[in-house]
Amino acid sequence: MRSRKLERSEWKPYSDRVSKALVGKRAEVEVVSLDLGRQVQAEWSPIYGLTFDPKDNLFEIALEGLDHLIRAPQEVHVLEGPEGLESVEIVDADGRRQIVRLKEPLALPPPEKA
């Protein structure tokens, strides 16, 4: 696994590129800060994409049933493994860490015919 900090100039192209690879994955979104503690915003929901809008200085994490917005991001860290992106951590202007963990959905075998 490899963790790295993305430069601001990488945020949009990186998010555009990985959004295509997120189709079919599940995500957990957790917000961590001293004032809030740890709060899970979404628990292994289908993820539709991760985008950065430089004009509005806004990250959007689109999940089934949740549109998680991160205003005024300050830092972005990604953890990549042999199978691709494993997690993204975005630190906002208030120092809150928004952690998006990714996993493949559980693949069950087809039901047996009776």
Side-chain angles (χ1 to χ4, degrees):
M1 286 189 275
R2 189 177 125 212
S3 177
R4 68 183 180 105
K5 179 180 177 181
L6 298 180
E7 297 299 322
R8 189 174 198 68
S9 62
E10 295 178 90
W11 294 359
K12 178 151 179 50
Y14 186 89
S15 64
D16 290 347
R17 188 176 73 249
V18 300
S19 278
K20 295 173 186 158
L22 296 177
V23 175
K25 292 193 182 234
R26 304 241 173 209
E28 176 183 73
V29 178
E30 179 180 29
V31 180
V32 180
S33 70
L34 291 175
D35 61 332
L36 295 174
R38 297 175 92 85
Q39 294 187 1
V40 175
Q41 301 294 307
E43 197 167 340
W44 304 118
S45 299
I47 184 166
Y48 301 129
L50 168 72
T51 58
F52 175 65
D53 178 353
K55 181 181 173 198
D56 293 328
N57 196 24
L58 176 78
F59 261 100
E60 176 185 11
I61 302 158
L63 302 151
E64 184 174 281
L66 176 69
D67 197 22
H68 187 74
L69 303 176
I70 304 167
R71 292 173 180 19
Q74 304 297 304
E75 293 181 19
V76 177
H77 300 265
V78 295
L79 179 62
E80 298 166 328
E83 307 213 0
L85 184 63
E86 294 183 8
S87 69
V88 177
E89 179 180 315
I90 302 168
V91 181
D92 68 18
D94 295 325
R96 293 186 178 117
R97 297 181 323 155
Q98 327 270 325
I99 303 166
V100 181
R101 292 182 187 88
L102 302 163
K103 72 175 183 179
E104 294 289 337
L106 180 62
L108 298 174
E112 293 183 26
K113 294 186 179 183

